[in-house]
Each structure stands twice: as C-alpha cells, then as structure tokens.
Amino acid sequence: MGSTLLEVRNLKKHFPSTAGWVKAVDGIDLKIEKGKSFGLVGESGCGKSTLIRVMLKLLEPTAGQIFFDGQEITGYSFKEMRALRKEMGMVFEDPHLALNPRMTVFDIISRPLKIHGLARKKGDLTVQVVELLQSMGLQTEHMIRFPHELSGGQKQRIGVARALAVEPQLIFLDEPTSALDVSVQTKILKLLEKARQERDLTFFFISHDINLIRVVADIMGVMYLGKIVEIGPKELLLDDPHHPYTRGLFSAVPEPDPDHSITEIQLTGEVPSPVNPPPGCNFNPRCPHADDRCRVEEPEFRELADGRRVACHLY
Amino acid sequence: MNQELKQEIAELKQQKTSQMYLTWVRFKRNRLSVIGLSFVLVVIFIAIFAPVLTPYHPYETDPFNRLASPSRENPLGTDELGRDLLTRLLYGSRIALQVGILIVLFEGFIGISFGLLAGYFGGWVDEIIMRLVDILRSFPVIILAMAIAGIMGQGLFNVVLAIGLVGWTTYARMVRGKILSIKEADYVEAAYAAGESTVSVILRYILPNVLPTAIIMVCIMMPTALIASATLSFLGVGVQPPLPCWGSIAAAGRDYIIRAPWISTTAGFFIMFTVLGFNFIGDGLRDAFDPTSKRN
Amino acid sequence: MRIEDLQVAFSTEEGPVEALDGVELTIHQGTFHGLIGETGCGKSVTGQTIMGLLDNNARIKKGRIMYREQDLLKLSSRQMERQIRGNEIAMIFQDPGSSLNPLFTIKNQIEEAIKMYRPVPRERREGLILEALQQVKLPDARNLMHRYPHQLSGGMKQRVMIAMMLACNPRLLIADEPTTALDVSIQAQFIKVLKDLKDNLDLTILYITHDLAVISELCDYVSVMYAGRIVENLSMYDLFRDPCHPYTEKLVNSVLGVSTRLDQLEEIPGSVPRLINPPPGCRFHPRCSEVLPVCSQEVPLLKEVKGLHSVACHRR
C-alpha cells in the first residue's frame, strides 16, 4: 500500500434550484494513493464532474473534508489554493472549449510556468515549452498557432501539456478522450501513460465509458446518483462486480466483438432526479434485489475482506 | 540541439503574424465592409478639409440669392437665408462626427464598465445595474432629450447626454451577456485550475474575448447615435442653428420641399451615406474578429 | 438499395468541400447495415442524401441512389415527400428531443404520421399506435401516449421515434447516431429493442455510427468510410476477424474492449484530413503504414475480395 495523496471524507455538494436542492455530490469517501491511477465510472448526471471540481476546490464543498498530502485543504482560501494548484492539474473533456481561443499555444502552455515561477531561467521558457510540445509528439512550429488551427487530437495534447507543465503530483482527467475520434484517442492514452510512468504521477479519471476506465485505471470506482456504490482494484470489480448497479452497468456495455452480445437487460428504468433521491438505498427502485430494508435504511459503505468497499445491504 | 532550436524559434518569431494583421486580412476580404470603410473615410476627409473644398463660409448669408437652384456658383443651390447648401452640408460632417464619436465614447465607456461589473461579479451588483438598465430603457429617448433640453438648454453636449443616458444600456446588456457565457467556458475554469489570479483571469481570458464584441458594438451603435442626434436636431431640440447640422438642415428644408426639394434630400443623403458606411464596417468587423475564420 | 458512385460537394466560404467522393454501397433487404467512420467522414451526409434532406449549399455532382428500381436522385422534392420519405424510408436522428414537437402529445404525433403515410381507417389508428409503442417496449403505453415529449426521458423519446417509424411501416430505416446522446444502460435497452424488432419484423436499417461496439451488437454488414469514400464493405464478422483495408484494421484495433490493454491498442498517426483539400490518390495514404508509391497518385477502386467483401486499397 502506497501513501494516500488525496482523501475526501463525507464530501457533499448541493446546488440550489427551483425544484429544491440538487444533491449532485452526496457523501463521498475516497482515498487516492500516490502513483496509482484511479478511474471513476458513472452515467451522465451522477455528479462525477461536480465531484472533481469540488476536489480541486473550483467549487466550494457544502460539507465534508478534503485532504491533500496529509493536509486538510477544505478551508483553504483562494490565495492558499493558488499555491497548491502547482500540485494538481486538470485535463478537460472538450479540448476545443478548454483552450482560450485568443492565446497562442505558447501562451497557453507557458502561463502555468509563469504563474508558479517555474521558468528555469530567463530566456529558457521557450525551450521548456518546446520540450513539452515534443514530449507530446508535437512540433516546435505549433507554438505560434492558435487553438482553432489545430485538430482535436492536437488540441487535447496541448491540454495535457498544459497540465503537465508545472510537474504536478496529481492530474484530474475529465473524459479526456470522449470528444475525440477513436483513431486519435489511443495516442492520448499512450502519452498519458508514458507521462505517468516517467514522472511518477497519480491520475484521477472520470468517464461514462467503462471500457476506457478498464484500460487506464488501477483502482476503479462506480458512482450512482451522487454516491459511490463500489470501489476496489480494477480486476476485482471487473471479474466479480458486487453491487447490483455495478453488475447492471457492466452488462450493458456493448463489446466490439462479434461473438459477444448483450443478452439480458439488468438495468431497467431511468435514473431518478438528484433533487429528490429515493429514501434508503437510492438505487432501490431499479434494483432487482431490493427488499423492505433497502427502502428505508441507507446501506453503509463498508470494506469487505477482499479489499473492496461496497454500499449494499447484500454484503 | 539548443543552438538549432534557438534558430528555429527565431524563424518562427518572424513568421508569427500579429492578431491585428490577421483581423485586417479577414476584414479586407469582405467587399462590403471595405466599401463601408471608404464611405467613412470620405466623410472624415470632408470633415477635415471642408474649408479647402469650398470657397464659402457656412454662416455666410446672401439675402439676394435665397433658395437658388443648383448652379455653377452653388452646386447644390442655396438655403432660405441664401447660404451655400453644399458648404453647409460639408461642414455638417464635422458636427455629425463630433456628436457621433462623443456619444459612442460616452455611452460605450459607461455601458462596457457597467456590463463588466454586472457580468463578472453577478449577485446584487448585477441586480442593481440590470434593474437600472430596465428602468432607463423604458424612457423614450426623444422625450427625455426634450426634457433635458428644457431643463439645461439646447446644445451639442446636451444631445450627447440625452442619447448617451439611454444608449449605454445596450452596451451593458451585450457585454454582460458575453461575459456570462465566457465565465462558464472551460478555458476560464482551466485558468483557475492552473492557479491564475482573479485579475489575471479578467485581463487575459475574459477581456480579450469581450473586446471584439465591444468594438463591434461601437461600430454598430455609431449609426444609431447619428440618426438619433439628427432626429433631435430635426425636431429642433438638438444642435442649434446656425451650426450646420444635417438634421436641422433637413428640417429647415422641409418648409420649402416643393420649391427647393434638394435641401432636405441632399441632407438626408449625407446622413444615409455615413450611417451605411458604419453599418458595413460593423458587419465586416464581426467576421474579421472571429478567430475561427481561416487564415489566408 | 444500391448507391452508385455518389458525389456530393458543399460550397463553403473557403471553397468547395467534396464531402462524398464516389460512395458505393449496397443495402440488402432485411439486413442491418452499419456505416461507420470518424467525424467528418461523410457518413451523415450519405444519410441525408438518401433522404433528400441536404442543405442548400450542397450539390449532388454525380451518382445514383437506386431504390427498388428507381433512382431517388431523379425524383422531384414533391415526389420524395409523397412517395418515399416516411412511408418507404424513414430516419431517426441523434437528438430525439428536437425531432418531436413539444406542443403535441405522443399520440397526436404518431397519429399525424400515420395519417400522412398510411391509409388506414380512423378506428384502427389507436390500435396501431398502441401496438407500435408496445413493440419498442415502452412500459404503460396506454398512458404514455397521452404525455408530452418533455415528460419523457431521452431514451424514451428515442423509442417513441422508432414507434412512430414503425407505425408508418417503412421498408428502410436510416438511424444517424441514435444512441450517441444516451447513457450505456439506456443504450442497452435501445439496442435490445432494435434486436427484437429485427427478429420479429422484416426491417432494413442503415445504422450510421462511429461506435464499433454498437455495430457489433446489431449489424450484419458494414461499410467503412474514410474522408468521403467507402474504403471497405464487409460482413460484421469479417470486420473484427478479417479486415483488409489498413484503416479498417487500425480502427478495429484502436477500439477499447473488455480485455484490451493499453499496449495492445494501435494508434493511427496524424489526424483526419480536411475535405477542403484532401490528399491525392488514396486519401488514407499519409497515415498508412503500408503505403506504396502508387497510393499517392491513383485513387484505389473497390475490388471484390470474396463474396460481399470489397476493399479499396492498392495493396490488396
């Protein structure tokens, strides 16, 4: 077991809306170990994007605690957070929206270096930027380009270069490939993996694409309606998913294999609104195993003997 | 490798063309906007060189030569006091540009500042500014101007004040809307995630993306300002005679529309010419400032 | 349906874009035919051309779309509307929300479609609507048909769209990325519905998508598109087991599956070309690892490899 880099305890984020409080993130406990790649899977609207934004303190948590490298950062001010931003990077889903259309690639990548005073010495900034570009398989001449002059894959590589520029310890990746074509996503994934090994990085992926998380993660988590229902080593979860939602979700994934097909639909119905989640276990209306207890008592998120944690009365 | 790299970087720096230049290239490609620009340049030229272009003085009356038809001496004839019409129209461009620029600067400055404040800070700041905008927008400009003229007297600056007092709300709304959408953009979130300070986010991420909108706004609002000031002068609450103003020339010509129809029509033509010019420029700028339109 | 040598160009500010350049494919009655390709390869344009729904700046330069002995491109827009669209060929889109009118109930809308395309007596209409809604496995169809679109979720709306098609009984259904906006669990339900329809009805579908996994669940035959051209026509089984074109092969190997590991994934260097100025010869040659000198000069034509499997590559 490595040391814990980031930990959140009972993290909550509720948004006001006309219909009531939207419980986007509703009590999350999570530990990310140094050097590991964590992958969080969830369908749209489950609160995974909100979660990473709260963890990064781009949004203020409603309740709960956040620890980074052993220090509680929940109450950090905007200014205190700025210094810590050097340790945490982020890569966005749509590379086209995540790059300032009026900055050149050079400006985009060099900004983080300037903010944190990391230009090695005067005049070397350009060299640093070029090195980053080259490590992403881009050319020096891309430096003077504007984002709209690049292809989607190139833009996303700029996004990764920007996150890597300040040599952070932890990088959050919000659906880093879902806006890209299949033929270019491999490139990004390989570059990310290479960077992780060379720089001893910790990754936190979120995605709706289970196959993506399968490929990139060591530890896998499944999120449903603002809560994490199951967490554990990837192999454990894939071979023997415990929580009925995890099982249903995995069975719904189509396989690029002519000999495989979706036989049985385990997940029926639709995700309820996060404004008024069902009482008890919030998965109970869709769960094939739900009984009376599930409708009133919320299951504890407990650790099993094999090292996984699951929130279900069945275990 | 370092030497080679430095060489390459130096070459790239030369290749790098400025944003301004690219904007100009894109602007030039639109024929209509180039025509608009030439219209406006003509008006500016006239305003500067009016004394050279005509031998008369705009106030010079000739009681024996009133309402004369166009002739060799007076290419557009004379008005009811025997002043050379062409001369008055040429000098009129000075008043028009003066009033137009003053109005746009006045309302633009107030509007963009308030729009920025409302959009960026939101909350009660936004609430107060936007309610003020709502209130002001329910004022009829012409009647407001008449009231101001009544209280403070007529004159050029009161025209600017009257039109600007309501005009800034258009800017404020536009700028606020634009900022709200930029604030939500991923690249602003990315900037915060990278550790940018609030000031830096405003200066490097929000302003550069708002500025083009603001400049286009100025070009589009210019004609509105010109027409509004001409209307006020036409109604007699704007720029006062004997100052040569297109609006009041058109108004004066109205009484002699049968005998000397060229007075009102030529004044109207000058207004139209200038307004059209600014409108074309505004359209062209909108495309030119869009960084996604391709570089040539 | 047979599409022959279809060429469509768009005129844009930057110049003409040859969105389709000699597309050839055959869809057999009763099969599910997949049309796959990446962003901007022209797969959606193909669907729109068949339906006669191209934008104003598009021009069909060449080609024929033979549908049951008649060339759809020769029909007037009126004939298309009366005889083909809706009752012979129907289409469902990526965003189900925008294809339904928010002001009418589900029942009204399906009824309207039936009125237009299927001459049945008034009394039988309600039965047809109910039947169609049940066929797409919508629960509680009797109540559901009195609801408005905004009361349904994305997955349900998409199924309502299919029900509407079924009620009109078209022969060919064109589905343009129908599941892209849906979550996996909803997508699975949707796929199941389509599969059941395939078993029970004699339905032909042209399924346009970029998602190879969905193709493997549904389709019998597949056409692979790259930069406005069909590079390979083959059966779904061959797509995964015996792809011939280097692009198809790489594409299949870059898809994430259950047992894939990162080091097994193949990457295709470079990026998809812009169609405003496509590479000469084979449009894939700048990214191809098996490129020959001839590839940059001559356009490869579709050659038959074996029955119903044809490929456009100079190597094969």
Side-chain angles (χ1 to χ4, degrees), chain A residues 43-44 181 183 185-187 190 193 211-212 215 252 254-259 261-262 265 267-270, chain C residues 38-39 153 183 185 187-189 195 213 216-217 236-237 240-241 254 256 258 262 265-268 271 287:
Chain A
E43 296 183 274
S44 58
D181 276 319
S183 71
Q185 83 173 8
T186 312
K187 178 95 189 161
K190 288 195 169 169
E193 186 55 29
N211 285 334
L212 171 71
V215 170
E255 271 303 312
D257 181 344
D259 296 325
S261 78
I262 298 172
I265 301 295
L267 268 185
T268 51
E270 315 256 345
Chain C
E38 299 177 280
T39 318
S153 68
D183 271 324
S185 63
Q187 172 176 287
Q189 294 169 14
K195 269 199 213 169
S216 90
E217 288 288 339
M236 193 270 286
Y237 197 82
F240 292 100
R241 295 288 181 259
S254 62
L256 304 168
V258 189
L262 191 53
L265 285 178
E266 271 203 67
E267 56 182 85
I268 311 180
S271 53
R287 301 174 75 189

Side-chain angles (χ1 to χ4, degrees), chain A residues 142-288:
Chain A
H142 286 121
M143 225 164 56
I144 57 163
R145 301 274 168 242
F146 284 95
H148 69 268
E149 297 175 279
L150 307 175
S151 71
Q154 287 171 332
K155 273 183 276 200
Q156 192 59 303
R157 282 186 262 164
I158 303 292
V160 175
R162 171 175 62 187
L164 290 175
V166 292
E167 308 201 351
Q169 296 188 54
L170 173 64
I171 295 189
F172 290 91
L173 300 117
D174 181 358
E175 307 260 17
T177 57
S178 64
L180 303 177
D181 276 319
V182 212
S183 71
V184 289
Q185 83 173 8
T186 312
K187 178 95 189 161
I188 300 285
L189 294 179
K190 288 195 169 169
L191 284 168
L192 283 171
E193 186 55 29
K194 193 166 142 243
R196 181 161 82 105
Q197 273 160 13
E198 283 173 359
R199 297 161 185 238
D200 196 23
L201 290 166
T202 309
F203 278 169
F204 189 100
F205 278 94
I206 59 168
S207 180
H208 69 281
D209 186 350
I210 292 136
N211 285 334
L212 171 71
I213 298 296
R214 271 203 266 241
V215 170
V216 296
D218 302 320
I219 314 285
M220 196 164 171
V222 180
M223 193 166 173
Y224 180 77
L225 213 57
K227 291 188 161 77
I228 290 188
V229 296
E230 191 167 0
I231 259 182
K234 173 175 68 173
E235 291 76 20
L236 215 57
L237 251 71
L238 289 176
D239 292 344
D240 182 20
H242 275 19
H243 196 283
Y245 177 68
T246 316
R247 257 186 269 161
L249 191 65
F250 287 2
S251 76
V253 181
E255 271 303 312
D257 181 344
D259 296 325
H260 170 283
S261 78
I262 298 172
T263 41
E264 179 193 6
I265 301 295
Q266 295 186 7
L267 268 185
T268 51
E270 315 256 345
V271 186
S273 142
V275 176
N276 238 334
C281 168
N282 62 18
F283 185 59
N284 82 66
R286 300 176 75 190
C287 183

Side-chain angles (χ1 to χ4, degrees), chain C residues 62-231:
Chain C
K62 217 169 128 185
R64 296 198 296 173
I65 300 179
M66 297 306 292
Y67 173 76
R68 309 181 76 220
E69 313 300 312
Q70 60 179 335
D71 186 354
L72 293 187
L73 296 179
K74 291 222 168 71
L75 296 179
S76 67
S77 58
R78 199 183 156 79
Q79 278 172 315
M80 270 308 278
E81 205 169 299
R82 293 242 153 165
Q83 298 166 12
I84 304 293
R85 224 179 286 150
N87 50 352
E88 289 283 336
I89 308 175
M91 188 160 184
I92 50 178
F93 299 92
Q94 180 173 340
D95 180 9
S98 59
S99 334
L100 289 170
N101 187 335
L103 296 176
F104 295 99
T105 62
I106 302 304
K107 187 188 163 196
N108 288 153
Q109 303 198 33
I110 301 182
E111 195 167 8
E112 205 53 41
I114 296 178
K115 253 194 261 173
M116 263 173 92
Y117 301 122
R118 204 168 166 187
V120 289
R122 183 183 293 256
E123 313 82 65
R124 276 197 51 213
R125 278 190 210 138
E126 184 153 343
L128 275 176
I129 297 169
L130 211 58
E131 193 186 317
L133 288 173
Q134 279 158 354
Q135 264 174 338
V136 295
K137 303 263 160 52
L138 278 166
D140 198 14
R142 213 170 275 280
N143 283 321
L144 190 110
M145 64 185 187
H146 299 293
R147 301 259 194 96
Y148 289 90
H150 71 266
Q151 295 170 304
L152 308 181
S153 68
M156 288 164 103
K157 276 187 242 174
Q158 200 59 287
R159 278 190 266 171
V160 167
M161 287 305 295
I162 300 190
M164 194 187 286
M165 304 297 144
L166 290 177
C168 304
N169 199 17
R171 285 167 202 274
L172 174 64
L173 180 62
I174 298 174
D176 190 357
E177 304 262 11
T179 63
T180 307
L182 304 178
D183 271 324
V184 256
S185 63
I186 311 297
Q187 172 176 287
Q189 294 169 14
F190 183 84
I191 289 174
K192 183 90 171 109
V193 166
L194 280 186
K195 269 199 213 169
D196 289 348
L197 290 177
K198 183 183 180 181
D199 294 340
N200 302 330
L201 302 171
D202 183 35
L203 193 64
T204 313
I205 292 189
L206 177 64
Y207 199 99
I208 302 171
T209 185
H210 67 276
D211 190 339
L212 269 74
V214 174
I215 290 276
S216 90
E217 288 288 339
L218 281 171
C219 296
D220 308 300
Y221 293 97
V222 179
S223 297
V224 183
M225 269 189 105
Y226 183 79
R229 292 194 188 131
I230 301 273
V231 296

